[in-house]
Amino acid sequence: MLLVADVHGANEALARVARSGEPLLVLGDLLDLFDYRTGAGLMVDLVGRDLVVEFLRRRDGDPAAGRAAWRAYEQAHRDEMATGFDRLAREAYARVAEALAGAEAYVTYGNTDRPDLLRECLPAGVRFVDGEVVEVEGLRVGVVGGGSSYPGRASEEDLAAKLARLGEVDVLCTHLAPAVEPLGCDVIAGRSKHSRAVLDYLRARQPHWHYFGDVHQPQALSWRVGETLCRNVGFFRDTGRAVRHG
């Protein structure tokens, strides 16, 4: 069983991993909204690079003001933004579908994703999973999607409800890290992203393994929460490498 997260448009590398013949779990963030290194991405195609950079500059100086400015822009251009985003997301998910075609794959969503479109666009034989348990290589694998920001945001209440549906599992897979600061802290971005609901589930249920993504440059890649070994499966767009379970 192989695991990846944070693909962000690296579909050639995803196709190579998918052709390995092993079951593949994809833990969200398939879309590439904005690449800080190249200045490219779906949002640049949607509104232009200069506007995206301006909003990011505002966000870095005053996060609340930056988010408010972006929301105001979205409201003023609601119809064209919605139509354009859907079209670009479908095109991007079509490339994901091509990469995964023929594989035994299980896919959930992260904060950059539109779960409704992702589910719709996956190829036959590839399963979208969220708040469900699947059996992979004889293991009960619980999968819960959702990130901490839009468009794929899941609230802590939503996450807790989906986690509660899983019951006992051998392996938990989420997009978000548990609320353990070294796992959730991105040392380059200088901020933390994690979920208390995920941590509460780990403490209560103690699965043997927990795999997640979302944090591209974490302070720590792995950590133990009681009997559970937690592991960030890595920034796939950057590494092009999958993590093998075990």
Side-chain angles (χ1 to χ4, degrees), residues 6-166:
D6 303 283
V7 175
H8 294 299
N11 294 311
E12 290 186 11
L14 183 63
R16 173 179 46 78
V17 172
R19 290 194 297 267
S20 69
E22 297 183 60
L24 174 63
L25 284 91
V26 183
L27 307 186
D29 275 9
L30 284 302
L31 295 182
D32 186 25
L33 298 185
F34 182 75
D35 190 324
Y36 284 84
R37 297 168 299 181
T38 66
L42 187 151
M43 297 310 295
V44 173
D45 295 338
L46 183 62
V47 302
R49 185 179 185 280
D50 290 345
L51 194 56
V52 172
V53 170
E54 173 62 18
F55 283 126
L56 291 173
R57 184 189 63 79
R58 292 190 190 186
R59 187 194 69 179
D60 290 343
D62 184 339
R67 287 192 294 270
W70 179 255
R71 296 283 179 254
Y73 182 88
E74 282 186 313
Q75 288 296 319
H77 303 82
R78 179 182 302 176
D79 291 344
E80 63 184 283
M81 289 277 288
T83 301
F85 189 95
D86 279 9
R87 175 179 58 80
L88 292 168
R90 286 180 185 278
E91 291 173 357
Y93 285 143
R95 293 188 287 272
V96 170
E98 183 178 356
L100 294 177
E104 179 188 347
Y106 307 86
V107 180
T108 196
Y109 72 102
N111 48 279
T112 73
D113 291 310
R114 276 279 304 274
D116 54 337
L117 295 182
L118 176 57
R119 181 196 297 268
E120 179 183 331
C121 293
L122 289 175
V126 173
R127 181 171 171 181
F128 180 87
V129 190
D130 180 33
E132 303 171 66
V133 177
V134 294
E135 184 170 318
V136 184
E137 296 182 332
L139 298 171
R140 283 178 52 83
V141 180
V143 184
V144 170
S148 58
S149 59
Y150 293 98
R153 182 179 183 274
S155 70
E156 285 292 293
E157 293 76 16
D158 289 341
L159 290 168
K162 291 190 285 188
L163 288 160
R165 293 202 298 267
L166 301 181

Side-chain angles (χ1 to χ4, degrees), residues 155-207:
S155 70
E156 285 292 293
E157 293 76 16
D158 289 341
L159 290 168
K162 291 190 285 188
L163 288 160
R165 293 202 298 267
L166 301 181
E168 301 286 343
V169 298
D170 301 301
V171 181
L172 175 67
C173 293
T174 62
H175 181 67
L176 280 165
V180 175
E181 186 61 21
L183 296 178
C185 177
D186 190 310
V187 298
I188 302 300
R191 61 180 182 269
S192 294
K193 301 184 291 181
H194 47 56
S195 168
R196 182 74 196 190
V198 172
L199 179 62
D200 289 345
Y201 177 89
L202 296 180
R203 287 174 168 168
R205 297 289 188 171
Q206 295 284 281

